[in-house]
Amino acid sequence: MSATPREREDVTAVRESGRASVVIIGAGINGIATFRDLALQGVDVLLVERDDFASGATAASSHMIHGGIRYLENGEFRLVKESVQERNGLLKIAPHYVKPLETTIPIYSTFSGILSAPLRFLTHRQGRPTERGAFLIKAGLTLYDTFSRDGGSVPRHRFHGRRKSLAALPKLDPEIKYTATYYDASVHDPERLALDVLRDGESAHAGARALNYVEATGLDADGVVLHDRETGDEFRVAADVVVNASGPWTDLTNEALGTHTSFMGGTKGSHIVLDHPELLEATGGREIFFEHSDGRIVLIYPLKDRVLVGTTDLEADPREPARCTEEEVDYFFALIAHVFPTIAVDRSQIVYRYSGIRPLPHHDDTAPGFVSRDYRIERRQDAGMPAVLSLVGGKWTTFRALGETLGDRVLAELGLGRVTSTEGMRIGGGIGYPKTPRRRIEWLRQNVGDTLRGRVLFTRYGTRAAAVADFLALDHDEPLLGDALSTRELAWMVDNEKVRHVGDVVFRRTSLAFTGDADAESIRVIAESLAPLLGWDSVRVDEEIDETITTLRDAHGVSLAHAAAR
């Protein structure tokens, strides 16, 4: 084994300080959003994450920013309204990562579901899944449009019969009767958006600090017990309020803090990514979205020149790693065949698969697809101990509003008032983002160069790319993996984005793994380039290569030969 690494400067600063007004446990998107919100209020807040930032449920999303049209049937109007408002808001404040997504629903009947849907609405009983017909979908989309009125952020829905539908999407199943098309949004790089929100929080207040690879393992009268997973060291940080934002692992975190809870009942959602030009073309640039006969939501849509297919909704144990199984792959292939019956798909075209656990509340015998996606906050405080606020639920789309709501609860605990709101506040690389193709070209020419490398930086960082380009120009910069990466950009990621492992780069700072471009050679190149930046010896380099290849194989179904990485 390689030598134990030295303690990081940011960990040292937190350990020596020994105190923060608020400690947030869990750096998924909701913990990060709450961190930023409190930092903007001038609160001394510490965010800790046992793995890398945005590496849990946040990284396993469907890459969608959506209002949740099917929640209307459950009567969750508050959640739909908030979700649609936040979707529209994110299109404006995070335009570098959040893009409009044209979405088409294939429809096979006219009146199916009009009896069962009202029964579900009135009784909240799921019953036997029933296909939604055109009448019901039309009613739902009309209501959905009423929540979307926001100065034309997205167009209203439209309906077409079979002839026009097949003219637009000729590979669709010819048995369809109609299609309904509406707009939601997608987030192209969810982990990078989360990191952007995090960096905004750190920049907002000197007393706001965030640590990855630091785990909360206990709570006592002296504070939160923290374990540095890089060095093995343990220390305490006193706090007035502790926020448990660890998503599907909330109950496990509370257990570590000395309290038994049963708030959570998360379900597993899996996805596959296909390198399939014919299927990519067949989507017409749209998401194909529908509810399968078993009640699960199905999505097929183009992303990064690949096709993302998902998702499942299965009971899951947060103590066990979530994995996309061969049975789920078979399920996805059957779905594709249902919608695009003439397009053949096989396992050789899968470049990546992933699975995560949704942070849903405990739901007894309610079917997973009908469990509320709304969120709530649970409070507990023992004598002589800080208040612990546990976040139950939450979804990607509403992270900003959730962070502000949870921030208000924390401020109330501290006896403080709100200084500013995050509503309408642009995020990181979305600040000054050019709105039109012409202005984007002008921005590229003026800031990073209208070259392939410049466009890679712009796609990855938004307008933060200008600061990155300035950093790259300060010293000799050696290209890595063509235009995809460089030695100086890795240094930027280490200095500014807290990269600690090869996997941080492969899975979350870039799209190399998602698009199937993380081969043995690229992993070796990244590991050897990180070595001088992080003080690794040759043994540690080999360990990092092995760990990344093992994660690709075990968690993402990508098999690479270890020998090729030497």
Side-chain angles (χ1 to χ4, degrees), residues 218-229:
L219 179 66
D220 57 30
D222 295 322
V224 182
V225 182
L226 299 177
H227 173 73
D228 184 346
R229 300 186 69 204

Side-chain angles (χ1 to χ4, degrees), residues 9-319:
E9 290 183 5
D10 52 359
V11 175
T12 299
V14 169
R15 179 176 53 78
E16 291 180 349
S17 170
R19 176 165 181 81
S21 295
V22 181
V23 172
I24 300 174
I25 303 168
I29 185 57
N30 291 316
I32 288 172
T34 307
F35 170 78
R36 179 184 73 142
D37 189 82
L38 291 172
L40 285 162
Q41 315 314 316
V43 174
D44 291 342
V45 55
L46 171 64
L47 175 68
V48 295
E49 166 58 51
R50 73 182 305 274
D51 293 308
D52 189 23
F53 304 118
S55 60
T58 294
S61 77
S62 295
H63 289 63
M64 290 177 65
I65 299 294
H66 65 103
I69 183 172
R70 74 172 305 200
Y71 308 154
L72 291 173
E73 197 171 292
N74 295 344
E76 296 187 275
F77 298 118
R78 190 212 71 80
L79 178 61
V80 174
K81 182 178 181 180
E82 180 181 75
S83 298
V84 170
Q85 289 174 340
E86 291 301 308
R87 178 203 68 192
N88 293 346
L90 285 168
L91 286 166
K92 297 173 182 177
I93 68 176
H96 52 321
Y97 296 133
V98 180
K99 312 288 183 181
L101 179 62
E102 188 176 12
T103 302
T104 292
I105 306 172
I107 306 169
Y108 287 84
S109 69
T110 303
F111 297 109
S112 178
I114 61 174
L115 296 179
S116 58
L119 184 63
R120 279 189 293 269
F121 176 79
L122 293 171
T123 67
H124 289 185
R125 294 177 182 174
Q126 62 271 25
R128 184 176 180 178
T130 304
E131 179 189 7
R132 275 72 171 164
F135 184 87
L136 188 61
I137 291 172
K138 177 69 175 178
L141 285 173
T142 300
L143 183 57
Y144 197 58
D145 281 344
T146 66
F147 289 109
S148 297
R149 292 174 181 166
D150 183 41
S153 291
V154 297
R156 293 181 177 274
H157 80 274
R158 60 185 187 270
F159 249 76
H160 290 308
R162 178 186 290 123
R163 184 177 60 82
K164 282 191 175 181
S165 297
L166 293 177
L169 298 168
K171 293 287 187 176
L172 274 181
D173 181 3
E175 296 300 315
I176 64 167
K177 287 191 174 182
Y178 316 91
T179 59
T181 298
Y182 67 103
Y183 279 81
D184 263 330
S186 64
V187 53
H188 289 198
D189 294 280
E191 299 93 336
R192 290 215 61 88
L193 176 53
L195 194 66
D196 234 13
V197 177
L198 176 76
R199 295 195 64 217
D200 283 354
E202 289 182 304
S203 300
H205 178 50
R209 297 188 175 97
L211 303 176
N212 52 353
Y213 299 103
V214 172
E215 182 176 12
T217 59
L219 179 66
D220 57 30
D222 295 322
V224 182
V225 182
L226 299 177
H227 173 73
D228 184 346
R229 300 186 69 204
E230 296 286 283
T231 65
D233 293 340
E234 186 176 282
F235 59 98
R236 282 172 170 75
V237 172
D240 299 310
V241 180
V242 175
V243 175
N244 180 356
S246 46
W249 302 279
T250 294
D251 291 328
L252 301 183
T253 297
N254 281 335
E255 185 178 315
L257 300 182
T259 301
H260 173 76
T261 59
S262 54
F263 299 141
M264 308 305 298
T267 63
K268 184 180 76 164
S270 296
H271 302 76
I272 57 174
V273 182
L274 296 163
D275 185 358
H276 197 308
E278 184 184 8
L279 182 59
L280 181 66
E281 183 181 4
T283 66
R286 309 180 188 187
E287 175 190 37
I288 309 301
F289 180 86
F290 60 100
E291 186 172 38
H292 195 45
S293 58
D294 61 4
R296 296 176 187 169
I297 292 299
V298 180
L299 56 93
I300 303 170
Y301 78 91
L303 188 65
K304 299 179 182 292
D305 291 325
R306 304 291 186 264
V307 181
L308 178 65
V309 183
T311 174
T312 50
D313 210 353
L314 304 170
E315 297 294 344
D317 183 350
R319 291 177 173 82

